[in-house]
Amino acid sequence: MKTSAKAMGLGCCPCCHKVVKMQAETQQCPRCHRSFSVRKINSLSHTFAWTIAALVMLVPANLYPMMIYYTLGQPEASTILEGIATFIQFGMYPVAIVIFIASFVVPLAKIIGLFILMYHAKRASKLTVKQQGQLYHIVEFLGPWSMLDVFVVAIMAAVVNLGFLSSIEAAKGITYFGLMVVFTMLAAESFDARLLWDAQDQKPQTDDSQSQLNQAGSR
Ligand SMILES: [Zn+2]
């Protein structure tokens, strides 16, 4: 049974959310005049390209120094990992933990999550509608946490101002790290979550998944 608006020939304007009867693949919204398609065009290829680009950026972001700091007048360059080690050395454990989460846990979880979502959008997955929804919400939940990096910069500035380190300069690595953050954001933005439900619709129906679809549809 087809349950999606797409299957019924309907589309939703991404700008004003008006539901429109689709006459062509791409058409103009009668209310706000924005052109849109039923699904984001080439969503999966764009998401894949941005995710790979983010993954590639993760390598130089970790290999090149992130910051140069001066202790007793001596400049020292440090990568993200060395930076975390330095903060631990200074006894600033909360700062070290925040940087570790912002620099490793969140970006990696987002990249892995995007790959899993793309895999499930591409094929009729064995996951139930409910499990797929949970998976999508996890990745969606990680989205705003990219902003954690902004807090890291703020924390760094505060640490410098408090005089724990005499001065900090940003180094090459931070450019790659910034690019990686931007690329994961673009990847998440390119992904059309509705492809997950399209893949479910194409799946041969079992009694179990059929009843779940009916339940989801009646909500
Ligand atoms: Zn509109």
Side-chain angles (χ1 to χ4, degrees):
M1 193 182 88
K2 302 290 181 196
T3 52
S4 68
K6 184 191 178 194
M8 295 175 205
L10 300 170
C12 179
C13 169
C15 180
C16 70
H17 294 180
K18 183 175 173 62
V19 175
V20 180
K21 182 94 191 153
M22 296 300 285
Q23 314 287 352
E25 183 69 21
T26 303
Q27 73 178 53
Q28 212 177 35
C29 171
R31 183 154 63 189
C32 69
H33 303 289
R34 177 178 165 160
S35 289
F36 68 96
S37 308
V38 181
R39 297 287 182 262
K40 285 180 186 170
I41 294 166
N42 297 330
S43 164
L44 282 183
S45 353
H46 289 164
T47 311
F48 186 72
W50 288 125
T51 312
I52 292 290
L55 198 60
V56 169
M57 285 300 121
L58 206 56
V59 180
N62 284 291
L63 290 182
Y64 284 112
M66 199 70 153
M67 56 186 180
I68 298 167
Y69 57 90
Y70 296 85
T71 40
L72 305 171
Q74 292 294 314
E76 271 183 73
S78 85
T79 60
I80 299 178
L81 275 179
E82 287 163 352
I84 293 171
T86 306
F87 281 117
I88 291 173
Q89 227 172 24
F90 279 100
M92 291 182 270
Y93 300 109
V95 182
I97 291 169
V98 169
I99 295 178
F100 179 72
I101 292 174
S103 312
F104 285 102
V105 181
V106 172
L108 267 182
K110 260 187 98 171
I111 290 173
I112 293 168
L114 279 163
F115 275 121
I116 296 174
L117 281 178
M118 280 187 279
Y119 174 82
H120 288 295
K122 187 86 183 152
R123 57 180 65 219
S125 77
K126 288 193 178 78
L127 297 178
T128 63
V129 175
K130 194 178 169 191
Q131 286 166 330
Q132 219 163 20
Q134 283 167 340
L135 179 72
Y136 176 66
H137 288 307
I138 291 170
V139 176
E140 204 186 24
F141 170 77
L142 284 174
W145 289 95
S146 305
M147 295 300 286
L148 206 59
D149 306 301
V150 179
F151 289 107
V152 170
V153 175
I155 289 169
M156 297 282 239
V159 166
V160 173
N161 288 337
L162 284 171
F164 288 111
L165 298 167
S166 46
S167 80
I168 283 186
E169 279 172 25
K172 218 185 206 171
I174 210 151
T175 313
Y176 294 109
F177 189 79
L179 283 173
M180 189 268 300
V181 171
V182 171
F183 290 164
T184 49
M185 285 164 87
L186 287 168
E189 180 58 31
S190 313
F191 184 73
D192 193 335
R194 293 168 298 184
L195 295 174
L196 290 170
W197 323 127
D198 286 351
Q200 284 282 357
D201 271 357
Q202 281 155 17
K203 184 160 100 172
Q205 302 299 323
T206 61
D207 288 346
D208 184 39
S209 63
Q210 180 66 61
S211 68
Q212 281 177 347
L213 272 174
N214 288 341
Q215 276 170 19
S218 63
R219 272 181 212 132

